[in-house]
RNA sequence: GGAGAGUUGGCUGAGUGGUCGAAAGCGCCUCCCUGCUAAGGAGGUAACUGGGUAACUGGUUCGAGGGUUCGAAUCCCUCACUCUCCGCCA
């Protein structure tokens, strides 16, 4: 959520910044709404002030046993007027709030201009493509079973058997241990979150269709970012303990509405997938440094796995709703002969903090923190990348060295 | 599932209809004192928000939402959450 003060004082610049990401903000609508708010608010508050004064006087009359009937009539009139105006004011305030909740974050000045994903910039490429494999993961192993999953649940689910299930578990442990080594505190969190939490991190109200709702006020989490960030919702944090670094492994649930026909085969795009999430809660002055460090932490995992990847910076037009700057990490997928997203690391500046009311306390004041998060990494896609990049034909294959101790063997049965 | 107790500022916690945005303590800030440290003394210190260049001034907020009342932290109703005891249970 943007600061409404900035909208009042600096609308032009915000408008220009939002245009870079393709968002048209309706200036006339906002200014009329805010003007209406101002008029109504002054009227309501004046009436309240009058009522407060008369009520105090009423008390005085009562205690000296004087007649209050005239005064009561006056107050009744004020209250009747107040009721009418308050309703109007509340409607206006709600309209303003809905308007604000719909506005995406402002891109950082450093974000390259662009219209869509075609304008994203490759920052750096790491590792050489070494695989000659052309088979996709479903062809490489029969232990990833999407047909059985569709019997159990439907499309976009999977059943992993034997070494595939074990490899996934090994990857999770490996990634969590990496995060802990990099100073992140491990958490186990709820896999369902309420409306307030999801509004805080920006999924609601705008992206309700992307979520699975389980009850009136409960949704399956689309990422551990939601529970991890909301640990601090409504909290005031001592500046000394920043940056906070949190991690958790959770399943993630996404309805993938609007992606019909995209990546329909295999593990790439599922309703349920495993992910390790890295979250940092920081001092605003530090947040870009923290984004870089978090990006590095995610990259290290691919370095260790010796998988070829590239880091790309999202252009203004491709930024996610809540983000002011995002780097995606894309891993080489031999069967598709292209790099595919395996992590997305973003700085949300004070956007989530403002929605979630997360502040930090420094010597002479308080202010909203900045939040940063990214995957470290998406487990299913990592598993595919390992299969496809390391496969050399045959019914077994060698695993990357760093996984041996987690997997308990250097060879995977396919 | 049953019974009971609770939810108040950064924290602990008092407050049962107007003088309460709220005692006290802790913490924090400023100043004083002491060679330094420790201790001590004086004062200040809730949040959000409107108007105003400003000095200043108005409003809202005591878990959330309704209600009663001229007036609600305080009375009534609904909901959420927390705790205790009983039952059940991985």
């Amino acid at each position: 959520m943007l600061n409404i003060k900035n909208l009042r004082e600096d609308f032009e610049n915000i408008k220009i910044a939002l245009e870079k990401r393709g968002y048209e903000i309706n200036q006339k609508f906002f200014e009329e709404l805010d003007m209406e708010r101002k008029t109504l608010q002054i009227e309501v508050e004046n009436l309240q002030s009058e009522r407060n004064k008369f009520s105090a006087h009423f008390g005085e009359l009562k205690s000296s046993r004087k007649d209050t009937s005239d005064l009561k009539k006056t107050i009744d009139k004020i209250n009747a007027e107040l009721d009418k105006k308050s309703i109007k004011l509340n409607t206006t305030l709600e309209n303003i709030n809905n308007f604000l909740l719909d506005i995406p974050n402002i891109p950082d000045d450093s974000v390259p201009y662009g219209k869509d994903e075609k304008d994203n910039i490759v920052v750096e490429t790491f590792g050489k493509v070494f695989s000659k494999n052309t088979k996709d993961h479903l062809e490489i192993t029969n232990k990833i079973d999407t047909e059985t999953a569709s019997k159990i649940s439907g499309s976009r689910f999977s059943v992993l058997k034997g070494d595939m299930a074990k490899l996934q578990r090994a990857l999770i442990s490996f990634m969590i241990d990496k995060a802990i080594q990099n100073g992140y505190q491990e958490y186990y969190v709820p896999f369902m979150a309420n409306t307030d939490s999801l509004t805080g991190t920006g999924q609601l109200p705008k992206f309700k269709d992307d979520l699975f709702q389980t009850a009136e006020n409960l949704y399956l989490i689309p990422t551990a970012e939601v529970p991890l960030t909301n640990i601090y919702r409504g909290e005031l944090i001592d500046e000394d303990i920043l940056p906070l670094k949190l991690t958790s492994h959770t399943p993630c649930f996404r309805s993938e509405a609007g992606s019909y026909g995209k990546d329909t085969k295999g593990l790439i795009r599922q309703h349920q997938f495993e992910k390790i999430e890295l979250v940092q809660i920081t001092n605003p002055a530090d947040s870009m440094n923290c984004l870089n460090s978090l990006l590095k932490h995610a990259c290290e995992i691919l370095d260790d796995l010796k998988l070829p990847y590239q880091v790309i910076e999202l252009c203004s037009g491709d930024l996610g709703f809540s983000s002011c700057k995002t780097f995606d990490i894309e891993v080489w997928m031999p069967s598709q002969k292209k790099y595919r997203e395996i992590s997305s690391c973003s700085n949300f500046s004070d956007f989530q903090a403002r929605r979630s009311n997360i502040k930090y306390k420094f010597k002479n004041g308080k202010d909203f923190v900045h939040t940063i998060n990214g995957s470290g990494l998406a487990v299913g896609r990592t598993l595919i990348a390992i299969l496809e990049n390391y496969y050399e034909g045959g019914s077994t294959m060698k695993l990357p060295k760093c996984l041996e101790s987690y997997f308990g063997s250097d060879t995977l049965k396919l």
Side-chain angles (χ1 to χ4, degrees), chain A residues 47 70-71 99 103 113 196 204 299 304 345 359 389:
Chain A
L47 286 167
D70 282 353
L71 187 53
F99 178 79
I103 303 171
Y113 176 79
D196 285 348
L204 289 178
C299 288
D304 285 3
C345 302
K359 292 186 173 176
N389 281 285

Side-chain angles (χ1 to χ4, degrees), chain A residues 38-82:
Chain A
K38 188 164 166 175
T39 311
L40 283 167
Q41 187 166 348
I42 291 170
E43 285 175 347
V44 164
E45 289 181 2
N46 284 341
L47 286 167
Q48 284 171 328
S49 172
E50 268 185 71
R51 192 211 37 209
N52 290 346
K53 276 185 208 129
F54 282 128
S55 282
H57 188 47
F58 190 101
E60 284 165 27
L61 289 184
K62 270 285 188 198
S63 62
S64 55
R65 305 205 177 148
K66 289 184 183 145
D67 179 51
T68 53
S69 55
D70 282 353
L71 187 53
K72 178 157 163 37
K73 273 183 210 157
T74 311
I75 297 175
D76 283 347
K77 234 162 82 185
I78 292 172
N79 275 338
E81 181 74 6
L82 188 56

Side-chain angles (χ1 to χ4, degrees), chain A residues 228-257:
Chain A
L228 284 178
T229 308
N230 276 284
I231 287 172
Y232 287 96
R233 174 155 52 88
E235 300 287 327
L236 184 63
I237 305 167
D238 269 332
E239 185 182 33
D240 313 342
I241 62 169
L242 298 179
L244 291 165
K245 294 157 87 180
L246 334 171
T247 187
S248 188
H249 151 245
T250 69
C252 303
F253 302 93
R254 299 187 182 178
S255 84
E256 296 298 335

Side-chain angles (χ1 to χ4, degrees), chain A residues 137-138 141 144 158 160 164-165 167-169 171-172 175 249-252 265-270 272-276 305 307 331 333 340-343 375-388:
Chain A
H137 56 286
L138 295 182
T141 177
I144 299 174
S158 57
L160 303 185
M164 288 308 134
L167 176 58
Q168 167 158 288
R169 186 158 52 84
L171 280 169
I172 290 164
M175 290 178 194
H249 151 245
T250 69
C252 303
K265 267 184 78 187
L267 284 192
I268 287 265
R269 191 177 300 274
Q270 302 263 287
Q272 171 186 326
F273 61 96
E274 305 300 303
K275 183 158 64 66
I276 280 73
L305 293 168
L307 290 169
V331 70
M333 293 290 189
R340 294 299 307 257
E341 179 182 335
I342 198 164
S343 173
S375 353
L377 305 161
V379 178
R381 290 187 181 182
T382 307
L383 187 144
I384 303 174
I386 290 170
L387 286 179
E388 295 194 2

Side-chain angles (χ1 to χ4, degrees), chain A residues 113-233:
Chain A
Y113 176 79
K115 209 165 149 252
D116 54 38
E117 59 189 54
K118 291 184 201 79
D119 298 323
N120 292 341
I121 289 168
V122 177
V123 178
E124 204 169 348
T125 303
F126 297 87
K128 274 207 183 99
V129 173
F130 57 85
S131 174
K132 297 192 169 61
N133 169 47
T134 54
K135 289 185 175 175
D136 75 23
H137 56 286
L138 295 182
E139 296 170 293
I140 293 171
T141 177
N142 60 12
K143 294 189 168 73
I144 299 174
D145 183 352
T146 51
E147 275 166 39
T148 304
S150 89
K151 177 170 76 179
I152 301 169
S153 308
S155 65
R156 294 203 188 281
F157 289 94
S158 57
V159 169
L160 303 185
K161 272 190 291 193
D163 272 8
M164 288 308 134
K166 192 178 178 190
L167 176 58
Q168 167 158 288
R169 186 158 52 84
L171 280 169
I172 290 164
S173 291
F174 165 66
M175 290 178 194
I176 286 279
D177 280 356
K178 284 295 288 184
I180 293 169
Q181 280 161 29
N182 281 321
Y184 293 78
Q185 170 95 250
E186 183 182 1
Y187 280 86
Y188 172 81
V189 293
F191 301 160
M192 295 190 213
N194 60 27
T195 309
D196 285 348
S197 294
L198 286 152
T199 306
T201 34
Q203 284 79 15
L204 289 178
K206 213 174 181 180
F207 305 103
K208 193 170 194 272
D209 286 351
D210 296 339
L211 300 171
F212 286 111
Q213 187 167 14
T214 64
E216 170 67 24
N217 187 28
L218 213 51
Y219 300 79
L220 295 174
I221 56 169
T223 159
E225 158 193 353
V226 176
L228 284 178
T229 308
N230 276 284
I231 287 172
Y232 287 96
R233 174 155 52 88

Side-chain angles (χ1 to χ4, degrees), chain A residues 388-407:
Chain A
E388 295 194 2
N389 281 285
Y390 282 89
Y391 182 63
E392 293 178 305
S395 62
T396 62
M397 59 173 256
K398 290 276 181 211
L399 280 175
K401 198 116 191 101
C402 62
L403 289 178
E404 281 178 19
S405 62
Y406 290 95
F407 188 73

Side-chain angles (χ1 to χ4, degrees), chain A residues 359-375:
Chain A
K359 292 186 173 176
Y360 73 106
K361 185 167 62 174
F362 48 93
K363 191 162 156 114
N364 286 313
K366 302 169 189 180
D367 199 3
F368 292 108
V369 297
H370 280 195
T371 55
I372 290 129
N373 69 54
S375 353

